[in-house]
Amino acid sequence: PLAPASSLPQSFLLKCLEQVRKIQADGAALQERLCATHKLCHPEELMLLGHALGIPQALLSSCSSQTLQLTDCLSQLHSGLLLYQGLLQALAGISPELAPILDMLQLDVTDFATNIWQQMEDMGVAPAVQPTHGTIPTFTSAFQRRAGGVLVASNLQSFLELAYRVLRYLAEP
Amino acid sequence: ECGRIKVSAPVVRLGDPITASCIINQSCSHLGPEAQILWKLGAELQPGGRQQRLADGTQESTITLPHLNHSWALLSCCLRWGNSLQILDQAELQAGYPPATPHNLSCLMNLTTNSLICQWEPGPDTHLSTNFTLKSFKSRGSCQTKEDSISNCVPENGQSRCSIPRKHLQLYQHMSIWVQAENALGTRASPQLCLVPMDVVKLEPPKLWALDPRPEVAPPPPGCLRLRWEPWKPGLHIEQKCELRHQPRLGAASWALVGPLPFKTLQHELCGLVPSTAYALQMRCTRWPLPGFWSDWSPSLELTTTQQ
Amino acid sequence: ECGRIKVSAPVVRLGDPITASCIINQSCSHLGPEAQILWKLGAELQPGGRQQRLADGTQESTITLPHLNHSWALLSCCLRWGNSLQILDQAELQAGYPPATPHNLSCLMNLTTNSLICQWEPGPDTHLSTNFTLKSFKSRGSCQTKEDSISNCVPENGQSRCSIPRKHLQLYQHMSIWVQAENALGTRASPQLCLVPMDVVKLEPPKLWALDPRPEVAPPPPGCLRLRWEPWKPGLHIEQKCELRHQPRLGAASWALVGPLPFKTLQHELCGLVPSTAYALQMRCTRWPLPGFWSDWSPSLELTTTQQ
């Protein structure tokens, strides 16, 4: 595949890795609180509800090391972060105890998305109009917001795991 | 929506039964015709769900928990799906007691904070979030008629006391005061107090000092002490009477009381004591002849009586 | 209205002149035709009032104080009435200096409070009420272009520091920051800082502990020490490098520095020290290889090297 490191500044990659670690920590804090306070500890118990609510997942198909397309990968990373920004916004009103953690998670995801977008602009590969996060489910009860929180946090962790692997690969000297 | 729980009441008395129903609609994709609805209280499966198919094709299960013994619990409506148990909805159940009648309501007019401070006994824990509100209205004579209402006084987080600020008070008029306790299971009000704020004033004690010897004044005779006091500034406009008590610093003699002392004299000579002995002296005052509460005793002043 | 003062400017530079006029109208009863208007600055009569009768019969006096040397003063317009001096109007005069340019603006990203804390030198006292505001906007690269504005940060009562909360920040983007000082005599702005919040992060030091001896691990050789550290939780996601310093607890030897230590190793064996001697150890860390500030040194850990 493309010699990845040459076109991305090392400081950008190191910042991204730092941001991924922060968002993973925020996400883990949200999962831990949802389990402790609302006894919702296992996303597998909420699959059926997740299907019914139509919670979308973000793909990083262009980021796998076999088929790494750098521009497409950055674009998918950015779109995925926008999707999670939208999903986290839809969870607003989840519960008073969880609100601060959710706000922090949203701020960090937004910062990361902005960081990626500005790098794409600097590389001249950013589309003219910034994409939006697409359709987001509406959560109509406190329980659905909490169950949605478990599913979104779990999906986000998987998304970040993939992102971390490709960023690490890109950052290798 | 996949599933929706409805409960007979979100809050019940501790130990009372509670009935819940869960309706699963067909849009909950991948559902087999005979999907079995299961109930969990916390992490434990609850037997006894009665399931039926409704006319519109939805499935409904109803369960009655005979005794809800947790003050807080999560009731989950689940479906077996493959070999996993899927949670479709959750309801927070609460159980507790209606509020007890708040009692021992008492109030003091505090001239430092210029507020009427009332406190009460809240009664036993109800296990439910219970709001206490101090209610009052201005009145006449024996508080039978309500003249002007006074805004409610809401205590700070869970305290059993509240301060009604000066701007809501008429210090020399009757007012009726009571405490209302309210939670999801009921409301109780304490008996009403009928009082005049200034008649429940509690003063701060005066400051005691030794009376400095002056050349032109003869020294105190043996076994005597001379002291003076400084009245508490915010109470200067209030006519008061005071009491003095003394006891030898050493030994186990109890306090001896001297009074009433008119508070305006501001000094006093105490005799009949044991010569060259160290004494602890304290003073307190109360509004008088108008009603009021005694102040606390002042901090001790230590003086030694003159030798023989 | 009896009398009305008008001043050339309510606030002037300290030492500058100030002119005031006072108009007394006829409705000011009992006025004789030649009522004499007098001026007082504070308690002192001020000579030099020039009085004239206006067409509409009112009397006007004008006075110029050559040098207003008080930062605050009361100017009174008075009339002699019988043998008393009647005050008809008063004006508050203020004098001071325009704000100096705030300088030494510096900022730190604090991960405990999750805010960007900036502080500055306000400059000399202006004798006037001076408001400082921390202004900023999000930007790119070298902060030439303004992307999004950020709401002003107003310091708490008179402090020379302000905290911009996390929700107004983009931690990895450039922002331009400056301080504006403003009072009645002018406005001054400090030079602009262009920074990325995370690049000015200041971490808290790690916690140092002795490394507990374990049966399966050989004890440290003479003149060696084993220690471990616990990284500061809010900084766990940040790659760091650390430095260790040590000095014998007694005597005047200066600190010896060991580092850089990769912060993830979490433990270290220090050798080459004087056997059976008590040492004080401290550690600090900084974000690395990405930019950041060194944390303070950790509190001392005291360990004694093994005997010869």
Side-chain angles (χ1 to χ4, degrees):
Chain A
L2 203 67
S6 56
S7 53
L8 284 177
Q10 188 68 1
S11 70
F12 164 71
L13 291 167
L14 290 175
K15 280 184 195 173
C16 289
L17 287 166
E18 188 175 271
Q19 288 187 281
V20 169
R21 289 193 296 266
K22 178 64 166 45
I23 297 168
Q24 285 175 317
D26 296 341
L30 180 64
Q31 289 172 304
E32 187 269 323
R33 294 304 321 152
L34 279 166
C35 182
T37 315
H38 302 293
K39 307 293 180 253
L40 292 172
C41 305
H42 312 294
E44 316 77 58
E45 290 177 325
L46 299 164
M47 289 304 161
L48 201 52
L49 184 63
H51 287 317
L53 291 171
I55 296 177
Q57 292 208 40
L59 301 178
L60 285 177
S61 51
S62 302
C63 295
S64 71
S65 50
Q66 288 78 28
T67 61
L68 180 59
Q69 298 293 332
L70 187 58
T71 308
D72 294 348
C73 176
L74 284 180
S75 173
Q76 279 188 333
L77 195 49
H78 179 256
S79 309
L81 291 170
L82 284 193
L83 172 66
Y84 283 109
Q85 203 183 321
L87 285 168
L88 292 169
Q89 225 153 11
L91 294 172
I94 189 165
S95 78
E97 309 93 5
L98 296 173
I101 299 175
L102 192 63
D103 292 345
M104 182 58 71
L105 187 50
Q106 236 180 302
L107 284 169
D108 288 339
V109 166
T110 306
D111 264 14
F112 189 20
T114 306
N115 197 14
I116 303 273
W117 179 257
Q118 287 198 356
Q119 180 58 38
M120 288 165 72
E121 281 185 334
D122 295 347
M123 291 163 67
V125 295
V129 177
Q130 223 185 101
T132 60
H133 47 55
T135 55
I136 297 289
T138 46
F139 301 104
T140 57
S141 71
F143 167 70
Q144 285 188 2
R145 275 187 288 279
R146 291 168 196 152
V150 172
L151 293 167
V152 167
S154 167
N155 296 344
L156 176 58
Q157 294 291 25
S158 319
F159 174 83
L160 292 173
E161 205 48 56
L162 260 177
Y164 198 77
R165 238 179 274 140
V166 68
L167 289 166
R168 272 211 90 86
Y169 169 70
L170 291 172
E172 272 154 23
Chain B
E1 251 174 21
C2 233
R4 174 64 59 162
I5 295 180
K6 285 208 183 81
V7 281
S8 49
V11 184
V12 295
R13 283 180 79 105
L14 208 57
D16 275 8
I18 191 163
T19 299
S21 71
C22 182
I23 292 180
I24 315 279
N25 65 41
Q26 284 169 328
S27 77
C28 205
S29 54
H30 323 298
L31 250 189
E34 277 330 308
Q36 194 200 1
I37 300 173
L38 299 165
W39 293 90
K40 284 208 306 192
L41 188 64
E44 280 159 35
L45 273 172
Q46 298 295 315
R50 303 175 302 283
Q51 188 168 336
Q52 57 174 339
R53 170 186 283 277
L54 301 182
D56 60 4
T58 58
Q59 300 267 4
E60 179 187 44
S61 172
T62 307
I63 190 168
T64 297
L65 306 174
H67 308 289
L68 185 57
N69 295 323
H70 310 273
S71 59
W72 181 89
L74 277 173
L75 181 67
S76 304
C77 164
C78 309
L79 256 187
R80 200 168 294 290
W81 188 52
N83 53 18
S84 77
L85 205 58
Q86 293 294 305
I87 304 175
L88 299 183
D89 197 5
Q90 253 181 6
E92 293 192 21
L93 307 182
Q94 286 193 300
Y97 301 105
T101 303
H103 53 285
N104 290 353
L105 172 63
S106 69
C107 299
L108 285 183
M109 183 63 201
N110 180 315
L111 295 186
T112 315
T113 59
N114 258 310
S115 59
L116 185 67
I117 302 173
C118 298
Q119 54 192 24
W120 58 85
E121 300 285 337
D125 180 9
T126 66
H127 304 295
L128 300 173
S129 140
T130 303
N131 293 331
F132 289 85
T133 312
L134 188 66
K135 290 175 170 278
S136 55
F137 57 78
K138 290 171 190 161
S139 183
R140 302 291 282 268
S142 57
C143 293
Q144 296 312 315
T145 58
K146 171 172 174 179
E147 302 224 331
D148 303 322
S149 62
I150 297 173
S151 45
N152 290 342
C153 187
V154 179
E156 278 166 34
N157 45 39
Q159 289 191 338
S160 295
R161 52 184 288 144
C162 207
S163 295
I164 303 177
R166 172 72 181 85
K167 65 177 187 271
H168 292 319
L169 298 170
Q170 278 182 318
L171 298 185
Y172 293 86
Q173 297 308 319
H174 283 85
M175 62 189 288
S176 173
I177 303 179
W178 70 98
V179 192
Q180 180 179 291
E182 189 174 9
N183 68 20
L185 296 180
T187 302
R188 292 289 182 288
S190 74
Q192 293 198 357
L193 278 186
C194 182
L195 58 81
V196 175
M198 275 309 285
D199 292 351
V200 291
V201 69
K202 181 178 179 188
L203 306 173
E204 291 297 321
K207 274 211 182 69
L208 288 190
W209 308 91
L211 198 58
D212 309 330
R214 296 210 311 274
E216 68 278 17
V217 174
C224 286
L225 290 174
R226 282 195 190 126
L227 68 138
R228 65 180 175 85
W229 63 86
E230 231 179 77
W232 178 53
K233 289 284 178 301
L236 272 180
H237 66 288
I238 296 173
E239 219 177 308
Q240 305 165 39
K241 69 175 178 184
C242 299
E243 273 178 359
L244 181 67
R245 68 177 185 179
H246 57 84
Q247 70 177 178
R249 204 161 56 74
L250 304 174
S254 61
W255 290 101
L257 211 62
V258 173
L261 302 173
F263 102 111
K264 282 240 175 69
T265 55
L266 300 183
Q267 61 182 42
H268 184 70
E269 182 174 279
L270 194 58
C271 285
L273 306 176
V274 178
S276 58
T277 306
Y279 278 83
L281 300 145
Q282 291 183 337
M283 183 179 258
R284 67 174 184 172
C285 298
T286 182
R287 183 178 186 232
W288 186 82
L290 289 171
F293 292 117
W294 281 100
S295 72
D296 296 333
W297 288 102
S298 68
S300 280
L301 170 71
E302 280 195 14
L303 291 180
T304 305
T305 47
T306 42
Q307 281 145 355
Q308 200 54 41
Chain C
E1 251 175 19
C2 238
R4 169 67 59 184
I5 294 180
K6 285 208 185 83
V7 280
S8 51
V11 185
V12 296
R13 286 179 79 105
L14 209 57
D16 275 10
I18 192 163
T19 299
S21 70
C22 183
I23 293 180
I24 315 280
N25 64 38
Q26 283 169 327
S27 73
C28 204
S29 59
H30 325 302
L31 249 190
E34 277 329 310
Q36 194 200 1
I37 299 173
L38 298 166
W39 294 90
K40 282 206 314 192
L41 187 62
E44 282 159 32
L45 275 172
Q46 298 296 315
R50 301 175 303 282
Q51 187 167 338
Q52 57 173 341
R53 167 185 285 278
L54 301 184
D56 59 3
T58 57
Q59 300 267 2
E60 179 187 47
S61 171
T62 306
I63 189 168
T64 296
L65 306 174
H67 307 289
L68 185 55
N69 293 325
H70 308 274
S71 60
W72 182 86
L74 277 174
L75 182 66
S76 306
C77 166
C78 310
L79 259 188
R80 195 170 294 290
W81 190 51
N83 53 17
S84 74
L85 207 56
Q86 296 294 306
I87 301 174
L88 301 182
D89 195 6
Q90 255 184 0
E92 291 192 22
L93 307 183
Q94 284 192 296
Y97 301 106
T101 303
H103 54 285
N104 288 354
L105 172 62
S106 69
C107 300
L108 284 184
M109 183 64 200
N110 180 315
L111 294 187
T112 314
T113 58
N114 257 305
S115 58
L116 185 69
I117 302 174
C118 298
Q119 53 191 28
W120 59 85
E121 300 283 340
D125 181 7
T126 65
H127 303 296
L128 300 172
S129 137
T130 303
N131 293 328
F132 290 85
T133 311
L134 187 66
K135 292 175 169 276
S136 55
F137 58 78
K138 290 172 191 163
S139 182
R140 299 286 287 271
S142 55
C143 294
Q144 297 312 316
T145 59
K146 171 173 175 177
E147 299 222 334
D148 303 321
S149 62
I150 296 172
S151 44
N152 290 343
C153 189
V154 179
E156 279 169 32
N157 42 41
Q159 290 189 339
S160 294
R161 54 184 285 147
C162 206
S163 295
I164 302 176
R166 171 70 179 86
K167 63 179 187 272
H168 293 322
L169 298 170
Q170 279 189 315
L171 300 188
Y172 292 83
Q173 300 308 319
H174 284 86
M175 62 190 289
S176 174
I177 304 181
W178 70 98
V179 193
Q180 180 180 291
E182 187 177 8
N183 68 20
L185 297 180
T187 301
R188 292 288 182 288
S190 75
Q192 293 196 358
L193 279 186
C194 182
L195 57 82
V196 174
M198 274 309 284
D199 291 349
V200 291
V201 69
K202 183 179 178 187
L203 305 172
E204 291 296 322
K207 273 212 183 71
L208 287 191
W209 308 91
L211 197 57
D212 308 332
R214 294 207 314 271
E216 69 278 16
V217 175
C224 286
L225 289 173
R226 283 197 189 127
L227 67 136
R228 65 179 174 85
W229 61 86
E230 232 178 78
W232 179 55
K233 288 281 179 302
L236 272 178
H237 64 288
I238 296 171
E239 227 172 296
Q240 306 165 37
K241 71 176 178 185
C242 300
E243 270 177 3
L244 181 66
R245 69 179 185 179
H246 57 83
Q247 71 176 176
R249 202 159 56 76
L250 305 175
S254 61
W255 290 101
L257 211 61
V258 174
L261 301 172
F263 104 112
K264 282 227 175 87
T265 54
L266 300 184
Q267 60 182 46
H268 185 70
E269 182 173 279
L270 195 58
C271 284
L273 307 176
V274 179
S276 58
T277 305
Y279 278 83
L281 301 146
Q282 292 183 335
M283 183 179 255
R284 66 174 184 173
C285 300
T286 182
R287 184 180 188 228
W288 184 84
L290 290 172
F293 291 119
W294 281 101
S295 71
D296 296 336
W297 288 100
S298 68
S300 279
L301 170 70
E302 282 195 10
L303 291 180
T304 305
T305 46
T306 39
Q307 279 143 1
Q308 199 56 40

